Amino acid sequence: MATPIIIRNLTKKFGNVVAVNNVSLTIEPGAFLTLLGPSGCGKTTLLRCISGLEDPDDGEIVIGEKLVYSRAKGISLPPGQRDLGLVFQNYALWPHMTVYKNITFALEIQKLSKEDMDKRVKESLAEVQMEGYEDRYPREMSGGQQQRIALARMLAYRPKVFLMDEPLSNLDARLRMDMRTELKRLHHISGATTVYVTHDQIEAMTMSTNIAIMKEGVIQQNDTPDKVYHYPANLFVADFIGNPKINLMEGWVSGPGSVDLGKFNVPVRTYNKTGDVVVGIRPEDITVSTTPIDHGVEFQAYSVLPSGADTTIIARKGETELTVKEIGVSKIQMDQKIWLTFNSDAINLYDKETGNLING
């Protein structure tokens, strides 16, 4: 049965620096939650607090039905009593031990029989497609193979919760893609509650059931990948998520259903908002035409950047610059006149003062 994790008002400081600032978070049983954000946002510190490798300064952590940390009650269980599986960026394999010994090291503490340990090693290596490597040493394997062994060790232990701290960051791009596939498959098979730390938004978007985006120790939004991408809670999340980046344009509400951006207007639901706002629209939600069209706004193709599967077009109108994404290789030439139309259903409106999404 999958295990929930409940975090209440958690704070962790390093001197005068507040790494985790009064965070409350509920991770549902069987979820794959990714802690995402720029370097220094507090995501790794939060993971280490959950694991017991760091003692918070305040708050509570509950794993399953067990209170593992409470400042008020003086409880702080060590990592070994939290029933967790940990995978780190640097693999953390014992160099003088074979794969078999690396995997069974923790199983011996559980006092499993030789037969049970053999079975778990065989099953876990099969799950990461590393059968037959039992007698190899870490130095005899590539980085990707070592990472698979680190995962197999965690799987063999059969913890209630998986904790992973940027486990793929040392791998090359092709292998990272392969390992994303394997990790998502392993989560599907095991059903274990997983907390995953990364600064790579592609990893977060492709593998997670939920993404918690952090900034300066505070969770800005905790939601499904779809909602984080299409309905960012504030301008920080909107700007952080997406490649190419979202278009953010300052303007003011000029009437019901319209925002004036200075050089042109865009249709958008304004929710009775008045005054200064920021319009956010993804590059793929802008349509480009090489001939004048109804409601089209004339721009110039400042730069055209094909990448095979799609083409990024940087369009300019005076001082306004927009990024447009077209599927496939575009025939548009640099400096060519183009006309842009906007998908009003995909436009988000933000309060300029608070930076928060306006949604009713």
Side-chain angles (χ1 to χ4, degrees):
M1 184 175 179
T3 302
I5 301 173
I6 300 172
I7 299 168
R8 302 188 186 103
N9 305 115
L10 201 74
T11 296
K12 173 63 181 177
K13 299 177 181 178
F14 296 99
N16 294 325
V17 177
V18 181
V20 177
N21 191 354
N22 196 33
V23 165
S24 293
L25 177 66
T26 297
I27 304 171
E28 298 294 335
F32 190 122
L33 176 95
T34 295
L35 298 172
L36 177 67
S39 297
C41 71
K43 55 190 185 293
T44 292
T45 301
L46 179 55
L47 185 85
R48 289 175 64 85
C49 288
I50 296 172
S51 70
L53 296 175
E54 294 283 358
D55 251 359
D57 295 293
D58 205 0
E60 289 188 345
I61 303 172
V62 179
I63 299 176
E65 297 180 354
K66 185 186 293 185
L67 180 64
V68 300
Y69 175 81
S70 173
R71 177 63 183 269
K73 298 178 181 177
I75 296 172
S76 183
L77 299 186
Q81 295 180 24
R82 299 192 184 196
D83 201 5
L84 308 168
L86 301 170
V87 178
F88 298 101
Q89 179 179 347
N90 61 358
Y91 320 137
L93 298 176
W94 295 104
H96 63 289
M97 292 184 181
T98 63
V99 166
Y100 181 89
K101 290 297 292 182
N102 264 286
I103 295 175
T104 59
F105 184 76
L107 302 183
E108 290 173 355
I109 298 173
Q110 292 181 327
K111 298 182 179 180
L112 294 183
S113 68
K114 178 70 164 56
E115 181 180 350
D116 286 339
M117 285 195 293
D118 288 345
K119 182 179 179 182
R120 288 211 191 174
V121 169
K122 185 176 180 179
E123 289 175 349
S124 64
L125 288 177
E127 286 178 341
V128 298
Q129 300 179 23
M130 291 291 287
E131 303 99 317
Y133 281 73
E134 289 89 342
D135 297 326
R136 297 252 190 125
Y137 287 88
R139 64 178 179 273
E140 298 173 325
M141 296 180 291
S142 68
Q145 289 171 329
Q146 290 183 58
Q147 191 60 279
R148 288 172 185 259
I149 297 304
L151 289 169
R153 179 178 57 188
M154 180 183 68
L155 291 168
Y157 184 66
R158 295 182 183 174
K160 293 179 179 179
V161 174
F162 294 169
L163 302 181
M164 304 187 195
D165 187 6
E166 304 206 41
L168 309 185
S169 60
N170 285 339
L171 308 181
D172 60 60
R174 175 65 183 270
L175 189 53
R176 279 203 305 272
M177 178 62 190
D178 292 342
M179 287 304 296
R180 284 178 207 143
T181 301
E182 297 300 334
L183 285 174
K184 190 161 187 176
R185 184 68 190 172
L186 288 173
H187 175 257
H188 173 73
I189 292 170
S190 68
T193 305
T194 301
V195 184
Y196 188 98
V197 165
T198 185
H199 63 272
D200 186 329
Q201 59 177 279
I202 301 300
E203 287 183 16
M205 293 293 294
T206 53
M207 295 195 297
S208 312
T209 59
N210 280 76
I211 302 173
I213 300 175
M214 297 187 69
K215 175 189 177 186
E216 298 175 354
V218 177
I219 293 177
Q220 304 293 308
Q221 183 173 0
N222 175 23
D223 224 325
T224 64
D226 177 67
K227 288 185 177 179
V228 164
Y229 186 81
H230 290 107
Y231 305 100
N234 56 41
L235 290 173
F236 172 80
V237 177
D239 191 51
F240 187 78
I241 293 289
N243 186 23
K245 293 173 68 173
I246 194 172
N247 295 291
L248 296 173
M249 299 170 283
E250 294 184 2
W252 60 93
V253 177
S254 56
S258 181
V259 172
D260 191 330
L261 299 173
K263 298 287 186 180
F264 59 97
N265 286 29
V266 291
V268 57
R269 190 173 179 183
T270 53
Y271 298 100
N272 297 318
K273 173 68 179 177
T274 59
D276 294 337
V277 293
V278 178
V279 168
I281 185 165
R282 297 285 179 192
E284 64 271 22
D285 293 319
I286 302 174
T287 302
V288 60
S289 172
T290 55
T291 58
I293 53 175
D294 287 345
H295 309 296
V297 181
E298 183 181 325
F299 274 74
Q300 181 188 44
Y302 176 75
S303 188
V304 180
L305 308 167
S307 62
D310 52 57
T311 300
T312 300
I313 301 167
I314 308 301
R316 282 188 176 179
K317 182 180 181 67
E319 295 181 356
T320 300
E321 182 176 289
L322 296 179
T323 302
V324 183
K325 184 176 179 180
E326 279 200 311
I327 299 300
V329 178
S330 176
K331 296 185 187 308
I332 292 171
Q333 303 297 312
M334 291 172 63
D335 294 327
Q336 183 176 350
K337 285 184 179 181
I338 55 176
W339 284 261
L340 305 182
T341 54
F342 306 89
N343 179 0
S344 59
D345 292 334
I347 296 176
N348 287 318
L349 201 62
Y350 295 88
D351 186 286
K352 185 178 178 180
E353 183 177 350
T354 66
N356 294 329
L357 178 67
I358 301 168
N359 57 4

